[in-house]
Every structure is written in C-alpha cells, then in structure tokens.
Amino acid sequence: MMNAQIERYVALHRSFGRKFEVQERLLRLFAAYAHGFGDRHVTVERLYDWCRSASSQNVARDRFDHLRRFCLYAHAEDRQHQVPPAGVFGRGKRRRPTPHIIEPEQVQAIMQAALDLPPKGKISPHTYHYLFGLLAITGLRLSEALALQREDFTADGLIIRNGKFGKQRLLPIQPSTRKALEAYLAVRRKLGAHGNDLFVHIRGHAPSTTRAYIMFVRLARELGFRGPPGDPGMRVHDLRHTFAVRSLESCPRDREAIRHHMAALSSYLGHTDVANTYWYLEATPVLLRDIAVAGEQLFLGGAA
C-alpha cells in the first residue's frame, strides 16, 4: 500500500517537470525499512527512528522534510498514515557553501593535467580536458554538460536539455569555445571514439557525474589546489561559481546595467529564480566589498 502511494506521489511531481530522483530514492528506502516491521502505513515513531539512523543532522533533516511532505499527501488519501509535526529535526535550509573562486592559471593547470590521465592514447584524458574547459568558460552545471548529445552542438550554440525541472535552453558560445569543441570532436574521430553523447570515455558514453567529480578533485589534490580528504577545497561546481562571479565583476557599475546583466546571467545559467543569481553578490568577498563601498558612498553622499 505504501509503495503504491509513493508511485502516485512521484508521478504527480514528475508531471510538473521535476526529476524527483533523490526524493523517490529516500521514499523507497523508508518504505523498505517500514515494510521490514510489517507496517502498511506511516507511523510517526517509525519515521523518527529511520531519520535518527542518518549519518548526520543535515541528512536526518533532509529525510524528515521529504518524508513529512509525503505524509501530508498520503494522509489526505488514507487517514491511517500519520503526519509528524514540522521542524522535529530542525528548520531552515543549510547555508550554501561559499564559492571557491578558481584562478585562470589553476583552470589551465587542471586541464593540462587531465591530458596525462590514464589510459594513454584513449579518449578519456581528452574528454576530461575539454569537459572541464567547457564548464569553466560557460558556467554549465556538470550534469548539463554530461547530458549533451553530439547533435546538441549546433550552429546557434549548445542545446541544454537537462536543466533543472526539465527546462531546456539554447546556450550561445564564443567562437573560441566552438573551435575547442570542434577540436575535441576531431580527436574523437581520430581515436575511433563512438557514441551519441558529446563527451565520452572508452565505453562510448558519458562519464557519470560522480566519476567526473572524483577526477576533478583528484587533479586538484595532485596539483596542490586542494587538501587531503576531509578538508574543504575547490570542487568541480566551483567552475560554475567562478564563471558567475567573473561575469558579475565585469559588469559596469551602473544600476540599470546591473539589473539587465543579472537578468541575462540568470537566463544563461539556467536559474529558475533570479534570487539564485543575486546570491553570488553576498557570497563572494570581492563582490560583497564592492557592495559595501557603494553603500558607504551612498551614505556619505546622503549625509552631505
């Protein structure tokens, strides 16, 4: 019974264009856990016990929040499903990590080091070289870049089909970016690398996001750009952060220009809400300093 309701709940959210993969996985894990006790309905105590078994407070809160939303849905269909009170495992979202701004020479070093990855003479080293370069120059999400197909590389730019909430967009690219992608495709042909994905490894399809993330961290550590496991440091997603910050830094210091620049950057990055773009202003020290200086000048001007 619980699994049937999960099926309907997941189908409902996907009808709105959401992927809902993480949420479905958590719900399935809880259903299996509850089934082991013979439960046919959600009980508050069982839900609490499962959340308490999480590896951290943040994971426990995520589990609870996802499950409580499902409980509200399930309870509307069948009142035997219990609904826990809100906020039992804490409230509010976790703070987004501060962006780690990657310097141009660091990006170049990582791209160069990728060419030395094994296996030699195969497509994989070239794939990571050009993949990390594309992420740095376009600000694409890793998942978006890895979902690209060869036919998505068009005369008008890159067709992004794997954006958040299933949204698609056309991403214009610079002539130098186009030339680099054409060079990668030439290497693919030379090495006999097949597959419909734009970026492929030796098996003919795109690497997983986890694999690409691991390779980036590995290269960053080997180059001394990141500390040992457990220490914070640059991540592959910081290539996107860096692109956004550099773009904002280049914007003219004019309110109207900034407003138009923000709207354009938000669309280019595929943000569903422009507030996600404005976050870079407060999360990046150099931009926050610019805001403070502008605010001080405004205050002094007003006081005069």
Side-chain angles (χ1 to χ4, degrees):
M1 179 180 294
M2 201 180 301
N3 276 319
Q5 284 178 311
I6 290 173
E7 292 276 0
R8 293 193 293 275
Y9 180 68
V10 171
L12 174 65
H13 280 275
R14 286 182 175 158
S15 70
F16 299 141
R18 303 185 66 187
K19 295 180 183 178
F20 222 61
E21 294 172 354
V22 173
Q23 295 89 335
E24 181 182 17
R25 181 179 64 82
L26 286 174
L27 292 172
R28 297 290 187 193
L29 288 172
F30 173 73
Y33 175 81
H35 181 74
F37 293 92
D39 296 347
R40 292 175 57 82
H41 298 85
V42 179
T43 66
V44 168
E45 287 306 317
R46 194 78 69 210
L47 188 153
Y48 289 166
D49 288 342
W50 190 66
C51 290
R52 291 190 193 105
S53 70
S55 58
S56 70
Q57 178 63 31
N58 286 331
V59 174
R61 184 175 60 208
D62 284 346
R63 285 185 177 186
F64 178 82
D65 290 345
H66 289 311
L67 279 169
R68 186 175 184 277
R69 285 190 283 270
F70 168 71
C71 289
L72 291 168
Y73 168 88
H75 182 76
E77 287 191 345
D78 184 344
R79 293 189 175 274
Q80 293 186 73
H81 289 287
Q82 298 178 5
V83 180
V88 173
F89 285 82
R91 295 178 181 272
K93 294 183 177 181
R94 286 171 284 175
R95 286 182 58 85
R96 295 176 68 176
T98 300
H100 186 109
I101 306 307
I102 305 175
E103 299 299 329
E105 58 269 21
Q106 292 178 316
V107 175
Q108 292 169 9
I110 289 172
M111 291 176 63
Q112 187 60 41
L115 293 175
D116 294 326
L117 290 170
K120 293 289 186 180
K122 300 296 183 180
I123 191 61
S124 295
H126 300 278
T127 292
Y128 289 115
H129 171 83
Y130 286 98
L131 171 64
F132 296 149
L134 182 67
L135 295 177
I137 204 65
T138 62
L140 277 173
R141 299 179 179 94
L142 178 60
S143 59
E144 292 173 339
L146 292 176
L148 287 169
Q149 302 292 292
R150 283 188 299 174
E151 58 265 27
D152 294 334
F153 179 30
T154 73
D156 296 319
L158 294 171
I159 300 174
I160 310 302
R161 305 181 189 274
N162 196 38
K164 277 195 173 181
F165 304 110
K167 288 189 174 182
Q168 296 186 18
R169 67 187 191 278
L170 177 65
L171 194 78
I173 57 176
Q174 295 287 342
S176 59
T177 305
R178 178 175 299 280
K179 185 176 179 180
L181 289 175
E182 288 171 348
Y184 172 65
L185 291 175
V187 172
R188 275 191 52 164
R189 290 190 293 270
K190 180 180 178 181
L191 297 178
H194 303 290
N196 292 325
D197 293 326
L198 179 59
F199 293 106
V200 296
H201 55 37
I202 56 176
R203 293 183 178 86
H205 53 79
S208 67
T209 54
T210 300
R211 183 62 180 167
Y213 177 90
I214 290 172
M215 296 307 297
F216 183 87
V217 171
R218 170 183 165 182
L219 293 172
R221 284 202 178 109
E222 289 177 354
L223 292 165
F225 300 153
R226 182 176 172 131
D231 287 356
M234 66 170 65
R235 309 160 301 153
V236 67
H237 197 64
D238 286 316
L239 293 171
R240 177 174 169 86
H241 291 325
T242 301
F243 171 85
V245 169
R246 297 303 186 212
S247 175
L248 291 172
E249 287 177 349
S250 68
C251 182
R253 299 303 191 262
D254 172 82
R255 289 186 181 182
E256 190 66 16
I258 290 173
R259 187 172 67 84
H260 289 297
H261 191 88
M262 276 290 187
L265 180 61
S266 183
S267 297
Y268 192 85
L269 291 173
H271 283 161
T272 56
D273 188 335
V274 73
N276 294 323
T277 314
Y278 274 98
W279 170 76
Y280 286 105
L281 292 176
E282 64 182 71
T284 309
V286 64
L287 295 175
L288 194 58
R289 185 179 66 246
D290 288 347
I291 293 173
V293 170
E296 183 179 11
Q297 291 175 345
L298 181 65
F299 173 78
L300 293 174

